[in-house]
Amino acid sequence: MNRDKQPKRTTIYDLAELAGTSASAVSAVLNGNWKKRRIGSQLAEKITRLAEEQGYAVNMQASLLRREKSKIIGMIVPKYDNRYFGSIVETFENMARQRGLFPIVTCTRRDPELEIEAAREMLSYQVEWVVSTGATDPDRVTDLCAASGVRSLNLDLPGSKAPSVISDNFAGARELTRRVLLNHERKLGHKSPLLFIGGRGSDHNTSERVKGFLAAHAEMEITVHQHHILTCGYAPEKADDALSALAQAEGSVPMGMFVNSTISLEGVMGWIRRSGHYSTIAPTLGCFDWDPFVALLCDDIQMVRQDVPAMLSSVFDIIDNGAKTTSLIEIPPVFVTSP
Amino acid sequence: MNRDKQPKRTTIYDLAELAGTSASAVSAVLNGNWKKRRIGSQLAEKITRLAEEQGYAVNMQASLLRREKSKIIGMIVPKYDNRYFGSIVETFENMARQRGLFPIVTCTRRDPELEIEAAREMLSYQVEWVVSTGATDPDRVTDLCAASGVRSLNLDLPGSKAPSVISDNFAGARELTRRVLLNHERKLGHKSPLLFIGGRGSDHNTSERVKGFLAAHAEMEITVHQHHILTCGYAPEKADDALSALAQAEGSVPMGMFVNSTISLEGVMGWIRRSGHYSTIAPTLGCFDWDPFVALLCDDIQMVRQDVPAMLSSVFDIIDNGAKTTSLIEIPPVFVTSP
DNA sequence: TTGAAAGCGCTAACAG
DNA sequence: CTGTTAGCGCTTTCAA
């Protein structure tokens, strides 16, 4: 059994004393390179048993201080409040552990200051990599890391100074729009343009999706009204407000919509409910994002699910094998049709 | 500007040399206790400027090795795939940072082995606290931590060897059941018992909720069928399968349900869709959990939202001020009525 | 086969 | 007001 109340944690010196040997022998055994040091197998066994009994845990701070590589990998992520980022984090943790890395993840709530604050903190912990997910200012994080000789990498939103892995937003949005337009035409009996809502106009993903949205309309020879592109931000209330304002200004709102994230969809759904605008006929929707409940919410919704496993495979491929700093990898998203 | 390619990171010795002073002065200044050491303010300023210019970041491994307290706080969490755990993690990170602690969070996918593996890893990193959230075997984590003199604490699911903060499952479930029963009676014109579905029968929360469920029925003098309590597990497919089996066995399924989590609800909704069992009349639902889209899913759903901010306030109150090891704090959840 | 010893970067006495 | 010094626990040469 272990000490009742350990005032001080067990060290390799304690173990060495108990085993009647030296700290270096203990270290070698515990690190598994004792055949290299040709340590007696009975000694090795004794040390292992003792460590077990004492509940010994290596002091990583000391170990890492001495080593050259920390094997720590950091990720910053904007929010934990949707399935997309949730599965990014979960997959990241898994894949990191699989290759013997210790993942540390922190959430920066879309705040640029917090982003660099978090990155700085990670640098203090000697991370070997920083993955910036959906960062508002990824290049700033890259600069900060580069100054300490730490590599970084962008996920979800691209940067210009480090390799980036993102969804193929243009192609995904174009195909999603095409599907929704067809759906809509089938229902209405005639062609009709959609409303685009959600996201930040300034971010790369949103602007690519707008381009895809416009391309699909153009291919089907449908004219989009420029003021029907509402890149109002990500928060639910923003979408809600934008729709209210549009309805007020124009007296009506398009019957079909391209919603730029489940977060925005939350606001859109709330507004649809309250406004009573679609009491006679349900809107035709497309959402560039996925959520299991949304799939059940209505029949006329098409969703695009970003391919998180493929995205993270790319991320770790870069970590394992390297990549040009400027490379931009675009992963095709997956289409989900509601049941 | 900083060195093009730093082969070695800037240390306090580099800074000391540049400033023409000693490492201890640099350390004191950078740690903010230079008034204590009465260091000249011009020197202090110079050091600060230099550190800034060089992009200096303290080496935490070295710093922590020397210090007595690590200021690191760990949390293990089962999944990142729902709003409840997502907001727990986000709130935890915030509150930890607010008091100068460094949070490390890891997801253990409801796997008892991973739970203790993760706890062991955190101990190596010298965490001061481990918060076990929804752990399958919290007492094992507590034992492991105790052996290294590290304090721990349970969240969401209670343990017997460390303080626990959980929702008031009994009262919450009783009130939720009461509301759904009333709703149901109003709709049907007569009293009718509900089906309980989801969760593990062996976990504390589920069994308390079942008790509350039964109590509400008893108070309204409604008899529940024992085989209408389906604690089939948390995965969506489990709920789906359990409903299929019940329908097969009995030819019908109750018109009202108490669903034990949004995860289970996912399966329930899928089954409802596919089975066509409720084509004429919509089911009356209650869900012990909250999700913004579920609120929009149907009119007849009552939800219970666990009070995450209050739960984490309790957690940090214990961390700040201590608590009896055996204390069990139950936080009343909040009722959400769909719009 | 094994142990002694140096030193990772930092903090905190202690000695000026 | 400031510098010197002794470790924190561990890994890794190097010498035996």
Side-chain angles (χ1 to χ4, degrees):
Chain A
M1 290 298 116
N2 29 48
R3 307 293 123 270
D4 295 40
K5 180 60 186 174
Q6 216 116 6
K8 203 171 149 302
R9 286 153 78 140
T10 315
T11 71
I12 50 171
Y13 291 99
D14 302 331
L15 257 27
E17 191 164 351
L18 287 170
T21 181
S22 71
S24 48
V26 174
S27 171
V29 169
L30 264 27
N31 286 307
N33 41 18
W34 57 284
K35 78 295 301 272
K36 229 196 106 192
R37 290 207 25 148
R38 294 176 306 173
I39 286 171
S41 57
Q42 0 70 341
L43 211 210
E45 212 171 314
K46 187 176 182 185
I47 290 174
T48 318
R49 184 174 49 73
L50 245 24
E52 186 76 26
E53 280 178 13
Q54 299 294 315
Y56 172 81
V58 65
N59 181 326
M60 271 300 173
Q61 260 68 50
S63 174
L64 294 182
L65 178 58
R66 195 57 177 71
R67 286 178 192 288
E68 71 301 355
K69 318 198 72 184
S70 74
K71 299 255 176 202
I72 301 181
I73 178 167
M75 167 177 267
I76 66 178
V77 76
K79 297 285 285 175
Y80 293 117
D81 69 355
N82 59 72
R83 299 295 280 248
Y84 175 53
F85 290 130
S87 77
I88 283 179
V89 174
E90 201 166 319
T91 311
F92 175 74
E93 283 190 10
N94 280 209
M95 295 185 73
R97 279 173 202 289
Q98 271 165 25
R99 49 210 88 198
L101 300 172
F102 184 75
I104 65 185
V105 180
T106 197
C107 151
T108 52
R109 292 170 281 150
R110 301 190 199 283
D111 175 340
E113 288 315 309
L114 268 184
E115 279 166 17
I116 75 120
E117 202 46 55
R120 201 186 297 281
E121 208 163 20
M122 290 181 169
L123 291 177
S124 283
Y125 280 91
Q126 316 297 108
V127 291
E128 293 181 21
W129 282 91
V130 172
V131 179
S132 306
T133 311
T136 31
D137 196 350
D139 286 346
R140 201 152 149 235
V141 174
T142 302
D143 282 339
L144 188 67
C145 291
S148 297
V150 170
R151 287 156 302 180
S152 74
L153 189 155
N154 306 304
L155 179 60
D156 180 59
L157 237 40
S160 61
K161 300 180 163 185
S164 302
V165 176
I166 65 175
S167 285
D168 188 342
N169 292 291
F170 176 80
R174 184 173 57 178
E175 176 61 14
L176 178 64
T177 306
R178 205 182 62 80
R179 291 177 181 222
V180 177
L181 282 172
L182 288 173
N183 231 353
H184 203 38
E185 182 175 0
R186 184 154 11 94
K187 205 158 77 175
L188 258 53
H190 61 89
K191 290 178 177 179
S192 174
L194 309 179
L195 177 75
F196 185 104
I197 185 161
R200 294 178 178 172
S202 59
D203 86 36
H204 173 274
N205 291 358
T206 297
S207 76
E208 284 300 299
R209 290 173 198 172
V210 168
K211 283 183 200 154
F213 175 83
L214 294 175
H217 278 80
E219 280 160 18
M220 291 177 66
E221 300 181 330
I222 302 174
T223 311
V224 186
H225 304 298
Q226 197 56 48
H227 53 288
H228 281 178
I229 296 183
L230 306 177
T231 50
C232 54
Y234 284 106
E237 315 78 53
K238 302 246 178 99
D240 196 321
D241 295 348
L243 286 174
S244 300
L246 185 71
Q248 182 115 42
E250 310 200 340
S252 76
V253 160
M255 296 301 297
M257 294 190 202
F258 179 115
V259 187
N260 198 16
S261 68
T262 48
I263 297 296
S264 300
L265 186 63
E266 216 178 298
V268 169
M269 286 297 184
W271 182 81
I272 287 175
R273 276 265 162 149
R274 287 200 331 282
S275 74
H277 244 271
Y278 299 91
S279 46
T280 53
I281 177 168
T284 314
L285 298 174
C287 181
F288 202 108
D289 210 346
W290 175 87
D291 180 282
F293 289 112
V294 170
L296 300 165
L297 214 50
C298 51
D299 293 314
D300 287 325
I301 194 156
Q302 296 278 335
M303 281 182 291
V304 164
R305 183 174 191 168
Q306 304 189 60
D307 192 346
V308 172
M311 292 170 86
L312 280 148
S313 292
S314 270
V315 165
F316 280 98
D317 181 57
I318 292 174
I319 290 171
D320 295 340
N321 310 314
K324 291 239 308 292
T325 10
T326 53
S327 64
L328 176 70
I329 296 170
E330 298 187 276
I331 309 288
V334 176
F335 291 88
V336 182
T337 331
S338 45
Chain B
M1 291 299 115
N2 29 48
R3 306 296 124 268
D4 295 40
K5 179 61 186 173
Q6 218 116 3
K8 204 171 146 303
R9 286 153 77 141
T10 315
T11 71
I12 50 172
Y13 291 100
D14 302 330
L15 256 28
E17 190 164 351
L18 287 169
T21 180
S22 72
S24 53
V26 174
S27 172
V29 169
L30 264 26
N31 285 308
N33 41 17
W34 57 284
K35 77 294 300 273
K36 227 195 107 189
R37 292 206 24 147
R38 293 177 308 172
I39 285 169
S41 57
Q42 359 69 341
L43 211 210
E45 211 170 316
K46 186 176 182 184
I47 289 173
T48 319
R49 183 174 48 73
L50 245 25
E52 187 76 25
E53 280 177 13
Q54 301 294 315
Y56 172 80
V58 66
N59 181 326
M60 273 298 172
Q61 266 72 46
S63 175
L64 295 183
L65 179 58
R66 196 58 179 70
R67 286 179 192 288
E68 70 302 358
K69 322 200 69 184
S70 74
K71 300 254 176 201
I72 301 181
I73 179 169
M75 168 177 265
I76 66 179
V77 76
K79 296 286 285 176
Y80 294 117
D81 69 354
N82 60 72
R83 299 295 280 246
Y84 176 54
F85 290 130
S87 76
I88 284 180
V89 175
E90 201 166 317
T91 311
F92 175 74
E93 283 190 8
N94 280 205
M95 295 186 73
R97 279 173 201 289
Q98 270 164 26
R99 48 210 88 198
L101 300 172
F102 184 76
I104 66 185
V105 180
T106 199
C107 152
T108 53
R109 290 170 282 149
R110 300 190 199 283
D111 176 340
E113 288 315 309
L114 268 184
E115 278 166 18
I116 75 120
E117 203 45 56
R120 201 185 297 280
E121 207 163 20
M122 288 181 171
L123 291 177
S124 283
Y125 280 92
Q126 315 295 107
V127 291
E128 293 181 22
W129 281 92
V130 171
V131 179
S132 306
T133 310
T136 31
D137 196 350
D139 286 347
R140 199 152 150 235
V141 174
T142 301
D143 282 339
L144 188 66
C145 291
S148 297
V150 170
R151 287 157 301 181
S152 73
L153 190 154
N154 306 305
L155 179 61
D156 180 59
L157 235 38
S160 62
K161 300 181 164 187
S164 302
V165 176
I166 66 174
S167 285
D168 187 341
N169 293 291
F170 176 80
R174 184 175 56 178
E175 176 61 14
L176 178 64
T177 307
R178 206 183 61 81
R179 291 179 180 220
V180 177
L181 282 171
L182 289 173
N183 231 354
H184 203 39
E185 182 176 0
R186 185 157 6 96
K187 206 158 78 176
L188 259 53
H190 61 88
K191 290 177 178 178
S192 175
L194 309 178
L195 177 76
F196 185 105
I197 184 160
R200 294 178 179 172
S202 59
D203 86 37
H204 173 274
N205 291 357
T206 297
S207 76
E208 284 300 300
R209 291 174 197 172
V210 168
K211 283 182 200 156
F213 175 83
L214 295 175
H217 279 80
E219 280 160 19
M220 292 178 65
E221 300 180 329
I222 301 174
T223 311
V224 186
H225 305 297
Q226 197 57 48
H227 53 288
H228 281 178
I229 295 183
L230 306 177
T231 49
C232 53
Y234 284 107
E237 316 77 53
K238 302 245 178 98
D240 196 321
D241 294 347
L243 285 174
S244 301
L246 185 72
Q248 183 115 42
E250 311 202 340
S252 76
V253 160
M255 296 302 294
M257 294 189 201
F258 179 115
V259 186
N260 198 15
S261 68
T262 48
I263 298 295
S264 300
L265 186 63
E266 217 179 297
V268 169
M269 286 297 185
W271 182 81
I272 287 177
R273 276 267 162 149
R274 286 201 330 283
S275 73
H277 245 270
Y278 299 91
S279 45
T280 54
I281 178 169
T284 313
L285 298 174
C287 181
F288 202 108
D289 209 347
W290 175 87
D291 180 283
F293 290 112
V294 170
L296 301 164
L297 214 50
C298 54
D299 294 314
D300 286 325
I301 193 156
Q302 296 277 336
M303 281 182 290
V304 164
R305 184 174 190 169
Q306 304 190 62
D307 192 347
V308 171
M311 292 170 86
L312 280 148
S313 292
S314 269
V315 165
F316 280 98
D317 181 56
I318 292 173
I319 289 171
D320 295 339
N321 309 312
K324 291 237 309 292
T325 6
T326 53
S327 64
L328 176 70
I329 296 170
E330 298 187 278
I331 309 289
V334 176
F335 290 89
V336 182
T337 332
S338 45

